[in-house]
Amino acid sequence: MIKNLKISAVLFLFFAKVYPPMKKLILAFAFVPILSFSQNHQANLKKIYDTELSAGHTYDNLRYLCKVIGNRLSGSPGAAASVEWTRQLMESYDFDTVYLQPVMVPHWERGGKDVVKITNSAKHGVVELSALALGNTQGTGPKGLLAQVVEVKSIDQLKSLGAQVKGKIVFFNGPMDPTKIDAFEAYGGANAQRSSGAAEASKLGAVGAIVRSLSNRIDDIPHTGNQRYAADFPKIPALAISTQDAELLSQLLAEQTDLKLYLESHGEMKSEKLSYNVIGEIRGSEKPEEIIAVGGHLDSWDVGEGAHDDGAGCMQAIEVLRLYKALGWTPKRTIRAVMWMNEENGLRGGQEYAKVAKANGEKHIAAIESDSGGFLPIGFSSTGTDAQRGKLASWADLLRPYQLWNLQKPGGGADIGPLRDQGPILIGLLPDSQKYFIYHHTEADVFEVVDQRELELGAAAMAALVYLIEQEGI
Amino acid sequence: MIKNLKISAVLFLFFAKVYPPMKKLILAFAFVPILSFSQNHQANLKKIYDTELSAGHTYDNLRYLCKVIGNRLSGSPGAAASVEWTRQLMESYDFDTVYLQPVMVPHWERGGKDVVKITNSAKHGVVELSALALGNTQGTGPKGLLAQVVEVKSIDQLKSLGAQVKGKIVFFNGPMDPTKIDAFEAYGGANAQRSSGAAEASKLGAVGAIVRSLSNRIDDIPHTGNQRYAADFPKIPALAISTQDAELLSQLLAEQTDLKLYLESHGEMKSEKLSYNVIGEIRGSEKPEEIIAVGGHLDSWDVGEGAHDDGAGCMQAIEVLRLYKALGWTPKRTIRAVMWMNEENGLRGGQEYAKVAKANGEKHIAAIESDSGGFLPIGFSSTGTDAQRGKLASWADLLRPYQLWNLQKPGGGADIGPLRDQGPILIGLLPDSQKYFIYHHTEADVFEVVDQRELELGAAAMAALVYLIEQEGI
């Protein structure tokens, strides 16, 4: 560079005397080596976005996953279909390597229709509520369960009631805080009720648990999701009811404290099943041993179509590598699309992926996950060293034209978490959060509620970031 | 301030000797006067957001405007109803003053069902296309119009065809550019076809014009909108067709150049009508003569419910003042909610408002408009002096926690434009643009496609900005 500048300076002085208009031209050329670095990046990011927004495959691929395959809970036939289809899809794109990574996964089945009924409302008689059993729960079986119901707003309040809940059904009714601007924060403040409410209630002798759905809308859609029983305590039935019915039940309880609920559910943990992470790879040309993983989780809950959660992330990750093929690019470092299996009720895929990477002595420099919905991307969350996060922040000017303004939020993703001790920066695609919890874990999470442009902007954002990392390292 | 600090320093030295733990406490108090300014703003912005997100009226008000009143083209009974209802709404909120500002507006009526048909497709015979006459057009009447069709992608291409379009229907088929990240930019690149396509075609002797709808989705929804005829040339019929049908027509034309179209429409300009801008005001306590106007336009097209365009903006503007009442605040400067009439096909309300302000010697320091839909707010666009825009930018740290990151974009709003020469900074609420042109000027722009939280975040954003301006000036 210094040498170039020196030569340029000499040429400049010489030609500027001979032919003054040459000045400008020579000056321009002299600075080419200085400017070309970020100019190339800028131009290449535009190529990525232009290609995706005018001829992307993400949306059509998501349509297939949602409409033809549908939902795909770990261990289900749908999950097996999604494994095989994404494998074939990546093979059709002619990635360098496409393979399956075996992993044993838990297999829960809902087993039938979930029922929650108020049986003795003085006002309304029998009232059926919109309900959905939580994942991994043990059902009541066809005989159901009838007991009095006690409302609490939090696990702390449950604990303060102590033995008063014995023999009763605990109704967890803490809402997501609407004043939180980031909906994930509001979710984080309420989700202990769902994930460990039943376990805590059981420790106190409760016979069942129902939970207000984790939604920031008042509507009639129940939201399922994971819950974990405590060892050595009874596995009591646990079901979510819609926010609208939670409001109703709470009102009725305020007027009539002896309300009884009938619960019926049929959930059962089956034997573990063999399943797979699905992996596609384009080998790096200069530092193939440095790996950048980009992915989502292929499994979903057993309702809806797992469109935002997380079909969107999977299709975006595959699209990152497809864009390289469409643009005729070979990355300097190896890039790998990973569809992790079993994020929803076990995280086995993410754990296995990290274990195998370690055993094989692989070197991940970055792992990127999209698992916050196919909504408008606004940046990337991350966990890493100051140097890694500083490098990410150094690309702010390149990313801002694409409205990726938030590079500061801490975060990453559930499936990439297990890689942490191997040193890569962990990055999460950060979409706007306002609407995620309308659809999350419900019948309503279908292809039609994903916007094509927002989905494509997310795919392009991930491709842009992968490009910068494979070019410059991190 | 200096005096406070001196006293604090003396107290500190004294007490620190007597009772060392007092040190911290005294230090904290000593700095109260220094920190309180921005701390108060921060706390008050949070109060605005908390109130709006947990107990806002914006969404329920928009429901009423859309579902009970419905669409409200200038001069229509719906427009009159919306004037009376917003007046009553603001009176019910007990603003200091609520009044109507008379303005004469154009009055166009669609007059019947719009029809566009291919009459002679060798492949499909007669093909009816989804169509909607553009605003302000003169209809064909019941006899309709039959002529051959010629496709162009732009007005430039039309001009290059010259006399070849004589006696024909010109089909403007330039799409919105999908590679533009900002959808308003893509709209700006295509909307000359709609606004002046018919006028330019008529100058060359064409007998009709059809225009590809200004949408960034391929679907079956036609989009109306304003168009202006050229003086001294025939007022030819002009209709929009859906993007899907524009693609179909273009394909069929590629195979069969002699395609004919039958057009039928019934539009008519009626006599001008008396209408009103609706204005509500809370008087400032310290500088009442300095006015901050915040508003939207009350009129809409005659299809759908004018939910995003611009019921959202109107309800957000009223909410700004309502939040002051709910919080028990009196602003230092006067704040005024303005529902401008006739933005869509005349801009008479905006012009009259500016004229009256000037005649009355009013001093507007800022005019803020929300007319880009009730979507996720990402910042504010503006037009003003460097000092004004610098002041706006100085609030970046206060606004970023609410994801209002973009304060740089030039802009404002159609209705506030006429105020420009009176010196206020012109500001537009800047929502994310990706989805606006799915609904813009269509049957699909209804209450149900507005998200409650996004709408409320927009109302709170405008209230936050109004608060900073009334406190600090600009």
Side-chain angles (χ1 to χ4, degrees), chain B residues 155-447:
Chain B
I155 287 177
D156 281 348
Q157 194 189 345
L158 167 74
K159 288 178 178 170
S160 75
L161 292 181
Q164 292 174 53
V165 305
K166 199 177 158 93
K168 293 179 181 161
I169 293 166
V170 177
F171 166 34
F172 292 93
N173 193 28
M176 283 174 64
D177 180 353
T179 69
K180 300 288 185 197
I181 302 302
D182 183 336
F184 281 88
E185 243 183 82
Y187 177 76
N191 77 355
Q193 298 174 92
R194 188 201 72 204
S195 58
S196 56
E200 296 300 330
S202 177
K203 288 179 189 171
L204 297 172
V207 295
I210 59 171
V211 183
R212 179 193 181 98
S213 284
L214 293 171
S215 168
N216 45 8
R217 264 199 190 166
I218 300 295
D219 63 22
D220 205 29
I221 303 171
H223 294 231
T224 188
N226 205 18
Q227 70 88 36
R228 283 173 298 278
Y229 288 122
D232 306 326
F233 289 93
K235 294 177 174 175
I236 65 175
L239 299 93
I241 59 173
S242 71
T243 48
Q244 193 170 291
D245 283 343
E247 298 274 296
L248 173 68
L249 177 57
S250 184
Q251 282 161 24
L252 293 177
L253 270 170
E255 298 164 14
Q256 183 185 349
T257 54
D258 71 343
L259 280 187
K260 287 188 174 177
L261 288 183
Y262 171 77
L263 309 185
E264 187 184 317
S265 62
H266 308 270
E268 198 183 337
M269 290 301 301
K270 307 278 186 175
S271 61
E272 294 198 346
K273 299 290 182 296
L274 175 63
S275 188
Y276 303 91
N277 295 324
V278 190
I279 302 172
E281 188 176 289
I282 299 178
R283 198 93 178 128
S285 59
E286 293 184 12
K287 298 188 174 184
E289 72 287 0
E290 296 193 2
I291 298 165
I292 301 156
V294 57
H297 65 83
L298 195 50
D299 64 308
S300 75
W301 281 105
D302 62 329
V303 290
E305 298 166 359
H308 279 295
D309 188 13
D310 181 26
C314 291
M315 299 304 98
Q316 288 169 329
I318 291 175
E319 187 75 351
V320 171
L321 272 64
R322 190 199 70 83
L323 284 167
Y324 272 79
K325 301 299 283 189
L327 289 162
W329 292 354
T330 303
K332 288 185 181 174
R333 294 168 173 84
T334 294
I335 61 178
R336 194 183 267 180
V338 187
M339 317 291 103
W340 287 284
M341 181 51 68
N342 187 229
E343 191 270 348
E344 293 295 3
N345 63 337
L347 211 65
R348 298 284 184 85
Q351 288 161 354
E352 184 67 15
Y353 183 83
K355 198 174 119 189
V356 171
K358 196 169 204 168
N360 291 348
E362 289 180 350
K363 182 185 175 189
H364 281 79
I365 64 163
I368 306 167
E369 183 160 14
S370 167
D371 184 22
S372 302
F375 299 97
L376 181 79
I378 62 173
F380 298 100
S381 65
S382 63
T383 301
T385 63
D386 288 351
Q388 287 170 328
R389 300 193 75 212
K391 187 86 179 186
L392 176 61
S394 76
W395 295 321
D397 288 347
L398 287 163
L399 297 172
R400 200 178 299 106
Y402 301 101
Q403 309 203 340
L404 301 166
W405 60 274
N406 189 342
L407 305 178
Q408 306 305 327
K409 196 185 169 187
D415 297 290
I416 55 180
L419 281 170
R420 186 165 182 187
D421 66 4
Q422 296 175 42
I425 183 171
L426 307 181
I427 299 177
L429 177 68
L430 187 61
D432 172 58
S433 68
Q434 299 307 320
K435 293 184 175 173
Y436 189 62
F437 295 100
I438 298 171
Y439 307 113
H440 188 237
H441 299 175
T442 71
E443 283 291 354
D445 186 12
V446 295
F447 175 70

Side-chain angles (χ1 to χ4, degrees), chain B residues 5-50:
Chain B
L5 283 178
K6 274 188 188 165
I7 294 171
S8 297
V10 171
L11 285 171
F12 168 70
L13 291 171
F14 175 71
F15 279 109
K17 288 220 163 192
V18 177
Y19 180 57
M22 202 68 154
K23 231 192 250 190
K24 269 190 191 167
L25 191 69
I26 296 168
L27 264 176
F29 273 97
F31 283 95
V32 163
I34 299 175
L35 296 177
S36 62
F37 175 77
S38 70
Q39 274 181 336
N40 271 347
H41 285 352
Q42 206 177 359
N44 286 337
L45 261 48
K46 182 157 166 53
K47 280 181 194 163
I48 288 171
Y49 271 88
D50 284 0

Side-chain angles (χ1 to χ4, degrees), chain A residues 178 180 217 405 434 451 453, chain B residues 178 180 217 434 451 453:
Chain A
K180 300 287 185 197
R217 265 198 189 166
W405 60 273
Q434 299 308 319
D451 179 72
R453 276 186 69 86
Chain B
K180 300 288 185 197
R217 264 199 190 166
Q434 299 307 320
D451 179 72
R453 275 186 70 86

Side-chain angles (χ1 to χ4, degrees), chain A residues 2 6-7 28 46 54 69 118 122 134 185 207 226 232 261-262 276 315 328 373 380 391 420 445:
Chain A
I2 296 292
K6 274 190 190 164
I7 295 169
K46 182 157 168 51
S54 57
I69 294 176
I118 303 170
L134 296 181
E185 241 182 84
V207 294
N226 205 18
D232 307 326
L261 288 183
Y262 171 77
Y276 304 92
M315 298 304 99
F380 298 101
K391 189 85 179 185
R420 186 165 183 187
D445 186 11

